[in-house]
Amino acid sequence: MPDILIQHFPNAAYVLLSLSVLSLIAVYLLRWRYYTLARKYADWQAEAQDVEVATHVALYNQKDADVPVYPNISVVVTTRNQEAQLERLLLKLLQQEYAGCYEVIVADQKSRDDTQDVVKRLQERFSNLRHTYVPQTSRFIELRKLALTLGIKASYSEWIIVVNPETIPVTNRWLQHFSENLLPGIDFVEAYYNYEDDGSVVARRSILERVRRFCRRLHAFENDCVLGCETANFAVRKSWFMDRKGFIDSLCLPFGEESIFAYRHAETDRTAFLCALDTKLVEELPTSVELRERRICEAEVCRVLKGFAQKYIRRESMASLFLYLALMANMIYSIVRVWHDAESEVYSLQFVYTDVLSLLCWVLMFVLPAVLLKRSSDALGEMPFGIFVLLHELCQPWRNMSIDLGRRLRRADFKRKYLG
């Protein structure tokens, strides 16, 4: 260790620790403080649902009630060559314990498997199952956009809930609890869902990414912005969707139609977020290749959204920069302190206060994000992530660089093509 560094270390110590403390404060303000938002919104949802249940009971007791107690709902499922997953989902959807009336519409994207046989077989048992499909002549619109639009147009209900074949409700009262949040004055509702947790590192990382992304959308929501949405477990009011001409804003991109529609048209005062377990879906974990493909597509959607979405990308970059500054500053301080005491062969009491502060920084760096995120992960029904949160945050900038490189190399694939 250079003698000049040892000689001037007392002054450098205060600089390093000040940098570490200020950087941690910046990370908290830019990222960690919104890790608890899912817990807050889950509590709000529980309180609101209690009020709605009491209201519905009161309406049931009125013999002359002129309005439906529960709204009519259409659940739209878009599918393409997913017969096994579709059958599992439909059985769960068609046996939902819902006090109102609902239908399930399968919108087929030109499947070449036995999807139609699955639907016909279940239609013999369930009269509220319907089927539509993308015409063979469709060539100029991405299949899922068209299938989803056709499913919404074919619905008999004002409220549409979108799910995917690979997702499945956690409980048989998923639709009942969802309906309690489809209120007058609301046009768009997004509910949380995530991957199945098989205990693998891939699953834990993917689940953590979605939890953090959902908390980020809640933070944007509190700042008067609906920052997109996932591809399932969201509801739209049919008349509102049609008035906005559906997915017309995303015709030039073969994915991301839900996020672009929500970002361009959803207003925060007419939007609701659902975080409780009652309205959660669980999705089958895709392969690593499929997960990377999804991340590349999500990165391209963020680029298309621009505006507020780009602001959050910059926030995340700044948070990562400050996290590395805090880590490096505290690491340099610790290394020099150990070297200093090893050289003098005695503990330097003059550094006791700075040592305590350095230790506190280490504890906060490893514990604070895990503790804050645990409140939300508990509300969302996820296992605690512990120290994995910090490790994920430290690795994320490098993963983002890899994803961005993949996005740039794939730009030609993101343009609308002639679809046969």
Side-chain angles (χ1 to χ4, degrees), residues 227-228 256 259-261 263-264 300-310:
L227 197 62
S259 281
I260 295 174
F261 177 81
Y263 182 73
R264 298 277 173 82
E300 179 66 13
V301 171
C302 287
R303 187 193 68 82
V304 172
L305 293 182
K306 301 180 181 179
F308 212 85
Q310 295 297 314

Side-chain angles (χ1 to χ4, degrees), residues 135-297:
Q136 293 296 326
T137 56
S138 62
R139 298 175 181 271
F140 299 104
I141 300 178
E142 193 268 333
L143 293 179
R144 187 174 188 277
K145 287 184 180 65
L146 184 53
L148 188 53
T149 302
L150 291 174
I152 293 175
K153 284 185 176 182
S155 67
Y156 293 146
S157 311
E158 176 65 359
W159 276 108
I160 316 296
I161 300 178
V162 177
V163 297
N164 295 330
E166 61 271 17
T167 62
I168 194 165
V170 174
T171 72
N172 284 335
R173 292 183 59 81
W174 163 79
L175 189 60
Q176 179 68 43
H177 291 296
F178 212 121
S179 72
E180 292 161 0
N181 298 275
L182 305 179
L183 306 175
I186 296 294
D187 296 322
F188 181 77
V189 180
E190 180 183 357
Y192 171 81
Y193 78 104
N194 214 322
Y195 300 112
E196 291 178 335
D197 190 355
D198 60 7
S200 66
V201 175
V202 173
R204 299 299 290 163
R205 174 195 167 188
S206 303
I207 292 170
L208 178 55
E209 285 178 347
R210 269 204 178 157
V211 171
R212 292 182 61 218
R213 191 161 62 241
F214 190 77
C215 290
R216 185 160 62 244
R217 285 203 295 275
L218 292 177
H219 184 257
F221 180 69
E222 292 195 335
N223 287 274
D224 200 31
C225 175
V226 178
L227 197 62
C229 72
E230 302 290 350
T231 62
N233 213 20
F234 67 90
V236 296
R237 192 182 292 276
K238 180 179 178 179
S239 57
W240 173 72
F241 177 85
M242 301 307 296
D243 288 344
R244 270 83 186 154
K245 299 181 180 180
F247 301 125
I248 193 170
D249 297 317
S250 59
L251 293 181
C252 293
L253 197 66
F255 48 78
E257 53 273 2
E258 308 88 353
S259 281
I260 295 174
F261 177 81
Y263 182 73
R264 298 277 173 82
H265 300 292
E267 301 173 358
T268 52
D269 59 342
R270 299 184 65 86
T271 298
F273 279 85
L274 309 183
C275 310
L277 292 176
D278 298 334
T279 50
K280 179 182 176 181
L281 295 181
V282 176
E283 179 181 359
E284 290 183 359
L285 183 68
T287 65
S288 298
V289 175
E290 292 172 332
L291 285 169
R292 177 172 174 78
E293 177 71 15
R294 291 188 181 189
R295 293 177 182 118
I296 291 175
C297 292

Side-chain angles (χ1 to χ4, degrees), residues 94 117-129:
L94 293 166
D117 294 336
V118 169
V119 175
K120 289 178 181 178
R121 185 170 67 252
L122 292 177
Q123 281 179 324
E124 296 176 356
R125 296 173 53 190
F126 302 97
S127 60
N128 58 336
L129 174 61

